[in-house]
Amino acid sequence: MALFEYFPNYIWNLSVAMALESGGKIGEIIDMCAPIREAAERGDAGTGEFMQQWVAKADTLLDLAAEDEARGRGFSASAKLERASLYLLVAERMQQQGSAGREETYRKAREAFDRSTKLGSLPRERVEIPLATGTMPALFTPGAGQGPRPVVVYCNGLDSTKELLFWSRLPEALARRGISTLCVDQPGTGEALRLQGLPVDPHSENWASCAVDWLEGREEVGPAHIGMAGISLGGHFAPRAVAYEPRFASGAVWGANHNWREVQDKRRRREGENPVPHYWAHVFWTFGASDMEDFLEKSAAMNLNGHMDRIRVPFLVTHGESDRQISLDYAHQAYDQLVNSPRRELKIFTPREGGVEHVGADNLAFGRDYIADWFADTLGGRTQC
């Protein structure tokens, strides 16, 4: 496997990989991880120590950023704030809901991210998209060029946030190709869950259509050229939204979560790896479920069988050959059921290139570029100067 295996368990290594691929520095990561190698052997029970070390490093970076800012060095301060926010978000997602310090850690992460945006003049605008209940916080990154341009709605998986979506650098890759990006904290993720208590909605067209409504009101958006992408559990949300929202002109998944309800049965049998510690508590929280029976009932619709044939626009399915969370079989199922797409494509990432782990945790570059090129081809962007 290509994943950097510092700890004796997959979930902790996944967090390290996420930090490295999102802009973390190896020296800082070693500083945070070296004192807690033994804690990792306790699995979920050691996650409090994980947060303690990662928050401490983030606090140091916040102090250093404040010193830069006091000297009028905003760009340098922004770089440190980015990493502080990243480390705080990684630490926060490792904790069980309701654990001590989790809410404060998330608050600090958001404040650092927003401050970094301002000091670094970074290409992201925080927006709020009205929903039937509450709002969907999002980050809008404009594509290069003038006039109305294509745009991609980019949604979270089970445990990601709009900030992590931005750090995947897909918005940057799309912007270079003349395509804007809207990274969303849809219900069940990020701010929508943590600050508004909005649970997962398996019928993703409900909130994705609201994103399209909002985008159609932006003068820099070409309304006939709106795409939809999802990462990890977004491999359910994106196809479902494209199937039921006819205004989407193209779609793609970074990881084919074709039958996530079935995955839960496998996880109950301890087949495959979990994405986060305290897994069952986490999914109960995100779905607003009281117990296992309630969760299984609320997640019953997390299955794309019988829906993919409604997709009548170009659609791309990507998957890592060695994904330890979601079986490669689901990528083939998704592709095979795209019977009415005028242009369907299946891309499996292999050891020859990298990106073989779950949604490219070992190397985001290949998935990012492939998906960006797909949208350039199908939405009217560019793939070269």
Side-chain angles (χ1 to χ4, degrees), residues 199-200 202 261 284 287-290 292-302:
V200 169
R261 173 59 187 81
F284 293 173
F287 277 78
S290 57
M292 183 65 75
E293 182 179 359
D294 189 27
F295 165 65
L296 293 177
E297 180 179 349
K298 288 179 175 178
S299 63
M302 300 293 290

PDB file of all heavy atoms in Angstrom, residues 199-200 202 261 284 287-290 292-302:
ATOM      1  N   PRO A 199     -29.016  17.207   9.857  1.00  0.00           N
ATOM      2  CA  PRO A 199     -28.512  15.860   9.598  1.00  0.00           C
ATOM      3  C   PRO A 199     -28.407  15.553   8.113  1.00  0.00           C
ATOM      4  O   PRO A 199     -28.881  16.309   7.258  1.00  0.00           O
ATOM      5  CB  PRO A 199     -29.582  14.970  10.258  1.00  0.00           C
ATOM      6  CG  PRO A 199     -30.849  15.755  10.075  1.00  0.00           C
ATOM      7  CD  PRO A 199     -30.448  17.208  10.214  1.00  0.00           C
ATOM      8  N   VAL A 200     -27.796  14.419   7.802  1.00  0.00           N
ATOM      9  CA  VAL A 200     -27.676  13.949   6.418  1.00  0.00           C
ATOM     10  C   VAL A 200     -29.054  13.834   5.773  1.00  0.00           C
ATOM     11  O   VAL A 200     -30.009  13.358   6.387  1.00  0.00           O
ATOM     12  CB  VAL A 200     -26.976  12.573   6.383  1.00  0.00           C
ATOM     13  CG1 VAL A 200     -27.082  11.957   4.984  1.00  0.00           C
ATOM     14  CG2 VAL A 200     -25.520  12.675   6.805  1.00  0.00           C
ATOM     15  N   PRO A 202     -30.295  11.879   2.562  1.00  0.00           N
ATOM     16  CA  PRO A 202     -29.896  10.974   1.473  1.00  0.00           C
ATOM     17  C   PRO A 202     -30.371  11.450   0.105  1.00  0.00           C
ATOM     18  O   PRO A 202     -29.757  11.123  -0.910  1.00  0.00           O
ATOM     19  CB  PRO A 202     -30.565   9.651   1.843  1.00  0.00           C
ATOM     20  CG  PRO A 202     -30.750   9.724   3.331  1.00  0.00           C
ATOM     21  CD  PRO A 202     -31.065  11.169   3.604  1.00  0.00           C
ATOM     22  N   ARG A 261     -25.494   1.966   2.125  1.00  0.00           N
ATOM     23  CA  ARG A 261     -26.294   1.237   3.114  1.00  0.00           C
ATOM     24  C   ARG A 261     -25.767  -0.188   3.284  1.00  0.00           C
ATOM     25  O   ARG A 261     -25.655  -0.699   4.403  1.00  0.00           O
ATOM     26  CB  ARG A 261     -27.768   1.234   2.683  1.00  0.00           C
ATOM     27  CG  ARG A 261     -28.670   0.359   3.541  1.00  0.00           C
ATOM     28  CD  ARG A 261     -28.656   0.793   5.017  1.00  0.00           C
ATOM     29  NE  ARG A 261     -29.384  -0.158   5.833  1.00  0.00           N
ATOM     30  CZ  ARG A 261     -28.881  -1.302   6.279  1.00  0.00           C
ATOM     31  NH1 ARG A 261     -27.641  -1.646   5.985  1.00  0.00           N
ATOM     32  NH2 ARG A 261     -29.604  -2.106   7.018  1.00  0.00           N
ATOM     33  N   PHE A 284     -24.385   7.932  13.927  1.00  0.00           N
ATOM     34  CA  PHE A 284     -25.641   8.259  14.624  1.00  0.00           C
ATOM     35  C   PHE A 284     -25.813   9.774  14.686  1.00  0.00           C
ATOM     36  O   PHE A 284     -26.905  10.306  14.471  1.00  0.00           O
ATOM     37  CB  PHE A 284     -25.644   7.687  16.041  1.00  0.00           C
ATOM     38  CG  PHE A 284     -25.664   6.185  16.120  1.00  0.00           C
ATOM     39  CD1 PHE A 284     -25.518   5.547  17.341  1.00  0.00           C
ATOM     40  CD2 PHE A 284     -25.833   5.390  14.991  1.00  0.00           C
ATOM     41  CE1 PHE A 284     -25.533   4.168  17.435  1.00  0.00           C
ATOM     42  CE2 PHE A 284     -25.842   4.001  15.079  1.00  0.00           C
ATOM     43  CZ  PHE A 284     -25.691   3.390  16.302  1.00  0.00           C
ATOM     44  N   PHE A 287     -26.552  11.384  11.122  1.00  0.00           N
ATOM     45  CA  PHE A 287     -27.887  11.075  10.618  1.00  0.00           C
ATOM     46  C   PHE A 287     -28.994  11.457  11.593  1.00  0.00           C
ATOM     47  O   PHE A 287     -30.176  11.266  11.293  1.00  0.00           O
ATOM     48  CB  PHE A 287     -27.995   9.588  10.269  1.00  0.00           C
ATOM     49  CG  PHE A 287     -27.453   9.249   8.915  1.00  0.00           C
ATOM     50  CD1 PHE A 287     -26.085   9.138   8.706  1.00  0.00           C
ATOM     51  CD2 PHE A 287     -28.292   9.063   7.828  1.00  0.00           C
ATOM     52  CE1 PHE A 287     -25.571   8.833   7.456  1.00  0.00           C
ATOM     53  CE2 PHE A 287     -27.788   8.757   6.572  1.00  0.00           C
ATOM     54  CZ  PHE A 287     -26.428   8.641   6.380  1.00  0.00           C
ATOM     55  N   GLY A 288     -28.627  12.004  12.756  1.00  0.00           N
ATOM     56  CA  GLY A 288     -29.626  12.356  13.749  1.00  0.00           C
ATOM     57  C   GLY A 288     -30.363  11.140  14.265  1.00  0.00           C
ATOM     58  O   GLY A 288     -31.572  11.185  14.530  1.00  0.00           O
ATOM     59  N   ALA A 289     -29.625  10.028  14.425  1.00  0.00           N
ATOM     60  CA  ALA A 289     -30.227   8.761  14.837  1.00  0.00           C
ATOM     61  C   ALA A 289     -30.017   8.512  16.328  1.00  0.00           C
ATOM     62  O   ALA A 289     -28.978   8.887  16.891  1.00  0.00           O
ATOM     63  CB  ALA A 289     -29.624   7.612  14.037  1.00  0.00           C
ATOM     64  N   SER A 290     -30.966   7.849  16.940  1.00  0.00           N
ATOM     65  CA  SER A 290     -30.892   7.579  18.373  1.00  0.00           C
ATOM     66  C   SER A 290     -30.161   6.282  18.693  1.00  0.00           C
ATOM     67  O   SER A 290     -29.570   6.147  19.768  1.00  0.00           O
ATOM     68  CB  SER A 290     -32.306   7.519  18.964  1.00  0.00           C
ATOM     69  OG  SER A 290     -33.083   6.533  18.289  1.00  0.00           O
ATOM     70  N   MET A 292     -28.880   2.104  16.703  1.00  0.00           N
ATOM     71  CA  MET A 292     -28.576   1.384  15.469  1.00  0.00           C
ATOM     72  C   MET A 292     -29.824   1.180  14.612  1.00  0.00           C
ATOM     73  O   MET A 292     -29.782   1.378  13.379  1.00  0.00           O
ATOM     74  CB  MET A 292     -27.928   0.036  15.786  1.00  0.00           C
ATOM     75  CG  MET A 292     -27.499  -0.756  14.565  1.00  0.00           C
ATOM     76  SD  MET A 292     -26.174   0.052  13.614  1.00  0.00           S
ATOM     77  CE  MET A 292     -24.766  -0.281  14.698  1.00  0.00           C
ATOM     78  N   GLU A 293     -30.908   0.769  15.209  1.00  0.00           N
ATOM     79  CA  GLU A 293     -32.125   0.544  14.440  1.00  0.00           C
ATOM     80  C   GLU A 293     -32.579   1.821  13.736  1.00  0.00           C
ATOM     81  O   GLU A 293     -32.948   1.803  12.552  1.00  0.00           O
ATOM     82  CB  GLU A 293     -33.235   0.031  15.356  1.00  0.00           C
ATOM     83  CG  GLU A 293     -34.530  -0.287  14.627  1.00  0.00           C
ATOM     84  CD  GLU A 293     -35.615  -0.818  15.549  1.00  0.00           C
ATOM     85  OE1 GLU A 293     -35.351  -0.953  16.761  1.00  0.00           O
ATOM     86  OE2 GLU A 293     -36.727  -1.085  15.048  1.00  0.00           O
ATOM     87  N   ASP A 294     -32.516   2.948  14.445  1.00  0.00           N
ATOM     88  CA  ASP A 294     -32.916   4.231  13.876  1.00  0.00           C
ATOM     89  C   ASP A 294     -31.970   4.628  12.749  1.00  0.00           C
ATOM     90  O   ASP A 294     -32.400   5.105  11.686  1.00  0.00           O
ATOM     91  CB  ASP A 294     -32.935   5.282  14.978  1.00  0.00           C
ATOM     92  CG  ASP A 294     -33.554   6.604  14.540  1.00  0.00           C
ATOM     93  OD1 ASP A 294     -34.406   6.580  13.620  1.00  0.00           O
ATOM     94  OD2 ASP A 294     -33.185   7.647  15.114  1.00  0.00           O
ATOM     95  N   PHE A 295     -30.676   4.424  12.960  1.00  0.00           N
ATOM     96  CA  PHE A 295     -29.690   4.755  11.932  1.00  0.00           C
ATOM     97  C   PHE A 295     -29.898   3.932  10.667  1.00  0.00           C
ATOM     98  O   PHE A 295     -29.888   4.465   9.547  1.00  0.00           O
ATOM     99  CB  PHE A 295     -28.273   4.544  12.464  1.00  0.00           C
ATOM    100  CG  PHE A 295     -27.217   4.502  11.387  1.00  0.00           C
ATOM    101  CD1 PHE A 295     -26.936   5.616  10.619  1.00  0.00           C
ATOM    102  CD2 PHE A 295     -26.539   3.318  11.113  1.00  0.00           C
ATOM    103  CE1 PHE A 295     -25.974   5.573   9.607  1.00  0.00           C
ATOM    104  CE2 PHE A 295     -25.580   3.265  10.111  1.00  0.00           C
ATOM    105  CZ  PHE A 295     -25.296   4.388   9.360  1.00  0.00           C
ATOM    106  N   LEU A 296     -30.092   2.630  10.819  1.00  0.00           N
ATOM    107  CA  LEU A 296     -30.270   1.778   9.648  1.00  0.00           C
ATOM    108  C   LEU A 296     -31.526   2.164   8.873  1.00  0.00           C
ATOM    109  O   LEU A 296     -31.543   2.114   7.634  1.00  0.00           O
ATOM    110  CB  LEU A 296     -30.327   0.315  10.083  1.00  0.00           C
ATOM    111  CG  LEU A 296     -29.022  -0.247  10.660  1.00  0.00           C
ATOM    112  CD1 LEU A 296     -29.222  -1.674  11.122  1.00  0.00           C
ATOM    113  CD2 LEU A 296     -27.879  -0.153   9.664  1.00  0.00           C
ATOM    114  N   GLU A 297     -32.548   2.587   9.575  1.00  0.00           N
ATOM    115  CA  GLU A 297     -33.763   3.038   8.898  1.00  0.00           C
ATOM    116  C   GLU A 297     -33.516   4.338   8.150  1.00  0.00           C
ATOM    117  O   GLU A 297     -33.927   4.503   6.995  1.00  0.00           O
ATOM    118  CB  GLU A 297     -34.882   3.220   9.920  1.00  0.00           C
ATOM    119  CG  GLU A 297     -36.198   3.687   9.310  1.00  0.00           C
ATOM    120  CD  GLU A 297     -37.315   3.837  10.325  1.00  0.00           C
ATOM    121  OE1 GLU A 297     -37.138   3.378  11.476  1.00  0.00           O
ATOM    122  OE2 GLU A 297     -38.355   4.425   9.986  1.00  0.00           O
ATOM    123  N   LYS A 298     -32.808   5.293   8.803  1.00  0.00           N
ATOM    124  CA  LYS A 298     -32.571   6.594   8.178  1.00  0.00           C
ATOM    125  C   LYS A 298     -31.571   6.521   7.036  1.00  0.00           C
ATOM    126  O   LYS A 298     -31.563   7.391   6.157  1.00  0.00           O
ATOM    127  CB  LYS A 298     -32.111   7.594   9.239  1.00  0.00           C
ATOM    128  CG  LYS A 298     -33.229   8.011  10.182  1.00  0.00           C
ATOM    129  CD  LYS A 298     -32.763   8.992  11.237  1.00  0.00           C
ATOM    130  CE  LYS A 298     -33.959   9.476  12.072  1.00  0.00           C
ATOM    131  NZ  LYS A 298     -33.560  10.401  13.154  1.00  0.00           N
ATOM    132  N   SER A 299     -30.723   5.511   7.038  1.00  0.00           N
ATOM    133  CA  SER A 299     -29.721   5.379   5.969  1.00  0.00           C
ATOM    134  C   SER A 299     -30.171   4.421   4.872  1.00  0.00           C
ATOM    135  O   SER A 299     -29.408   4.150   3.934  1.00  0.00           O
ATOM    136  CB  SER A 299     -28.389   4.900   6.550  1.00  0.00           C
ATOM    137  OG  SER A 299     -28.516   3.594   7.116  1.00  0.00           O
ATOM    138  N   ALA A 300     -31.392   3.924   4.951  1.00  0.00           N
ATOM    139  CA  ALA A 300     -31.863   2.940   3.973  1.00  0.00           C
ATOM    140  C   ALA A 300     -31.814   3.473   2.547  1.00  0.00           C
ATOM    141  O   ALA A 300     -31.616   2.709   1.590  1.00  0.00           O
ATOM    142  CB  ALA A 300     -33.285   2.500   4.322  1.00  0.00           C
ATOM    143  N   ALA A 301     -31.995   4.774   2.367  1.00  0.00           N
ATOM    144  CA  ALA A 301     -32.004   5.365   1.022  1.00  0.00           C
ATOM    145  C   ALA A 301     -30.607   5.625   0.471  1.00  0.00           C
ATOM    146  O   ALA A 301     -30.479   6.136  -0.655  1.00  0.00           O
ATOM    147  CB  ALA A 301     -32.802   6.663   1.036  1.00  0.00           C
ATOM    148  N   MET A 302     -29.563   5.282   1.226  1.00  0.00           N
ATOM    149  CA  MET A 302     -28.190   5.507   0.764  1.00  0.00           C
ATOM    150  C   MET A 302     -27.768   4.368  -0.165  1.00  0.00           C
ATOM    151  O   MET A 302     -26.841   3.608   0.104  1.00  0.00           O
ATOM    152  CB  MET A 302     -27.245   5.629   1.960  1.00  0.00           C
ATOM    153  CG  MET A 302     -27.583   6.759   2.906  1.00  0.00           C
ATOM    154  SD  MET A 302     -27.346   8.401   2.181  1.00  0.00           S
ATOM    155  CE  MET A 302     -25.565   8.462   2.061  1.00  0.00           C
TER     156      MET A 302
END
